[in-house]
Amino acid sequence: YQVVKRIMYVLAHFYPERMGLMLLLDAPMVFGAFWEIIKPWIDPVTVEKIKLVDSEQLENYIDPASLPKELADSIEVAP
């Protein structure tokens, strides 16, 4: 708990708004619960830049042709 708070503090105060978008592909369900717990400590602008996505939603953010072959082969991408 204290470690997470410290990491959030460092990121918020020393690296503000450096991230454009973070996609977490097929994150485990437990991460979703953890995300709901730590989200209140993160700046709302940053929270909006972090997306938990599945393979279907990934296409909304990244052109399937731009995916590395290993990733494209491991998920089902619509033609």
Side-chain angles (χ1 to χ4, degrees):
Y1 176 74
Q2 291 298 327
V3 172
V4 172
K5 283 180 68 174
R6 181 67 182 161
I7 290 170
M8 294 290 106
Y9 175 84
V10 169
L11 291 175
H13 290 89
F14 297 104
Y15 301 98
E17 301 309 315
R18 298 264 183 194
M19 177 176 58
L21 179 66
M22 177 187 291
L23 301 174
L24 299 171
L25 178 62
D26 296 329
M29 189 180 296
V30 71
F31 183 82
F34 180 70
W35 175 241
E36 292 301 319
I37 293 169
I38 65 169
K39 202 164 39 172
W41 291 307
I42 303 173
D43 184 280
V45 174
T46 303
V47 168
E48 286 301 312
K49 294 178 180 184
I50 300 173
K51 308 291 183 193
L52 289 97
V53 297
D54 60 24
S55 57
E56 291 178 10
Q57 296 166 323
L58 185 63
E59 294 181 55
N60 296 330
Y61 300 98
I62 301 175
D63 179 9
S66 299
L67 293 174
K69 183 177 178 358
E70 298 81 19
L71 181 58
D73 290 345
S74 68
I75 61 174
E76 295 207 13
V77 179

